[in-house]
Amino acid sequence: MDNSHTGDMKSGRVFKKSLGQYFVKADGRTVACSISSKLRKRLIYPVADPSSIRPHVVSVKDIRTVDPIAVGDIVSFLDAGDGSGLITEVQHRETKLSRRAAGRKLREQVIVVNIDQVVPVFSVARPKPKWRLLDRYLTDAEAAEVPVLICMTKMDLAKGEEVEEELSVYEDIGYPVVRTSAVTGLGLEEAKEALKGRVSVFLGKSGVGKTTLLNAIQPGLDLRVKEVSEATRKGKHTTSHLEMFELDFGGSVVDTPGMRELGLWNIDDEHMANLFREMRPYIGQCRFGLDCSHTHEPGCAVKEAVKTGDIAERRYESYVRMRR
């Protein structure tokens, strides 16, 4: 029962969650918390002039999220003093990265909150970069209104101009790109500077070199990340084992092992073009105005920009595919 918990009310940041437990850092301590049942319900109040009636609950509905607490949340909790606690309140979230939860019900799965930047990590080779996946990560970040830093690893394996041509597309749009190699040391200082003092979330498939990069930036960090990665492969829900790792030089990193795609939450086709930076200047300029889907209509300003090369054809193809 919730009322069986007594103690001091404190606040801290959730840095890890696993199997219904939430690990909170507060005052230099780690507190293993459970959550109040009230956080799993949404209280519905009558709509009226606040001065005319006393607030009272008219109904209770289950919340539309898989889990009301995410890694990165600042929470208020009752500290029992024995290393355990009870989370009673989640404080305001500055940013959040979400996806649609698996299953038939339309529910939000919040991945991580209060982040300063999204870092999609792709390797030049072994495996080859999947640019459409990068486009999806970028739309997720745009929907969340979180800055992006594209990180390329294994630059020592780069051959030819193909990768640079692709990267120039993103740089022209306005996305910063850091090119790294744990073998030669290329870009490591630049990466450290970009991560310093910020809360960053790494997105990328296994094998792209996230762990190697993290170890090159801060030796020893990879062992902790690997333990989390191993745990996620054994569990059905990868996000239940997310953890935020602090960096010695300032800032922290959340790795998202096993997460190939996020799956846009609460974004309809009509607003998809807004998530592509290079398309925004053309929205509303089409013959059919804001009703244009930018896929088949005549007089489409976006399609004309693709023809003239002002919008990269491959990025446009990603847009069309996402609308489907």
Side-chain angles (χ1 to χ4, degrees):
M1 296 287 292
D2 289 345
N3 57 12
S4 65
H5 288 257
T6 59
D8 297 328
M9 185 64 73
K10 294 184 178 178
S11 66
R13 183 191 290 269
V14 176
F15 72 94
K16 180 172 69 170
K17 63 177 190 174
S18 177
L19 302 175
Q21 269 201 316
Y22 305 85
F23 298 88
V24 180
K25 283 189 179 174
D27 301 327
R29 298 167 53 230
T30 295
V31 183
C33 294
S34 55
I35 66 170
S36 166
S37 59
K38 291 180 182 178
L39 287 175
R40 296 194 178 277
K41 302 288 182 180
R42 183 163 59 96
L43 305 183
I44 309 301
Y45 293 91
V47 178
D49 183 347
S51 63
S52 66
I53 60 172
R54 291 178 61 189
H56 64 281
V57 178
V58 294
S59 65
V60 178
K61 291 187 177 181
D62 288 330
I63 59 173
R64 291 176 66 202
T65 57
V66 174
D67 191 333
I69 296 175
V71 168
D73 264 325
I74 306 298
V75 296
S76 300
F77 66 97
L78 282 170
D79 186 358
D82 59 358
S84 68
L86 179 76
I87 296 173
T88 59
E89 184 182 0
V90 178
Q91 296 181 23
H92 173 72
R93 293 166 168 171
E94 294 295 334
T95 56
K96 68 175 179 176
L97 201 60
S98 299
R99 69 175 174 181
R100 180 173 175 171
R104 293 185 177 181
K105 280 188 176 181
L106 186 62
R107 292 195 300 169
E108 179 185 18
Q109 186 171 17
V110 181
I111 308 304
V112 62
V113 301
N114 296 324
I115 51 175
D116 298 315
Q117 64 183 351
V118 172
V119 185
V121 183
F122 286 79
S123 55
V124 171
R126 302 178 194 171
K128 289 182 178 179
K130 293 186 178 292
W131 303 112
R132 282 206 175 97
L133 180 57
L134 174 55
D135 291 336
R136 180 164 284 278
Y137 286 158
L138 294 178
T139 56
D140 292 325
E142 292 289 347
E145 298 182 351
V146 179
V148 173
L149 171 70
I150 299 172
C151 180
M152 296 301 298
T153 63
K154 308 182 185 180
M155 286 300 296
D156 51 289
L157 301 178
K159 295 179 180 178
E161 298 297 320
E162 182 181 344
V163 169
E164 283 301 329
E165 286 177 6
E166 293 287 358
L167 291 179
S168 68
V169 169
Y170 296 102
E171 288 177 316
D172 289 345
I173 297 168
Y175 290 111
V177 178
V178 58
R179 298 158 174 80
T180 68
S181 168
V183 175
T184 66
L186 174 72
L188 296 184
E189 286 303 317
E190 185 183 349
K192 284 177 72 171
E193 193 60 35
L195 298 174
K196 186 177 180 181
R198 296 180 175 91
V199 179
S200 306
V201 57
F202 276 34
L203 300 176
K205 296 174 68 175
S206 59
V208 298
K210 286 184 295 176
T211 303
T212 304
L213 174 64
L214 287 171
N215 191 44
I217 290 171
Q218 183 176 309
L221 184 64
D222 67 320
L223 297 177
R224 288 186 284 154
V225 174
K226 190 175 181 181
E227 287 172 6
V228 175
S229 299
E230 289 298 327
T232 62
R233 292 194 186 103
K234 296 172 185 174
K236 291 183 180 179
H237 303 289
T238 58
T239 52
S240 64
H241 292 274
L242 287 188
E243 184 168 351
M244 181 180 291
F245 300 96
E246 291 186 359
L247 300 169
D248 290 344
F249 52 85
S252 53
V253 168
V254 181
D255 190 20
T256 54
M259 196 175 299
R260 294 185 178 182
E261 290 189 19
L262 292 179
L264 287 171
W265 164 254
N266 216 20
I267 295 292
D268 52 35
D269 282 352
E270 286 71 26
H271 295 98
M272 186 68 71
N274 280 300
L275 304 183
F276 285 74
R277 289 184 179 184
E278 65 272 48
M279 291 187 186
R280 289 173 192 162
Y282 303 97
I283 296 173
Q285 306 300 314
C286 306
R287 182 189 299 179
F288 296 106
L290 294 175
D291 293 328
C292 187
S293 71
H294 316 300
T295 58
H296 62 278
E297 297 89 343
C300 173
V302 169
K303 290 200 298 179
E304 185 60 33
V306 175
K307 282 183 183 178
T308 59
D310 293 318
I311 293 176
E313 187 171 349
R314 192 192 52 69
R315 282 273 294 172
Y316 174 72
E317 289 170 0
S318 284
Y319 163 78
V320 172
R321 187 173 285 225
M322 284 186 212
R323 279 189 63 101
R324 289 174 186 163

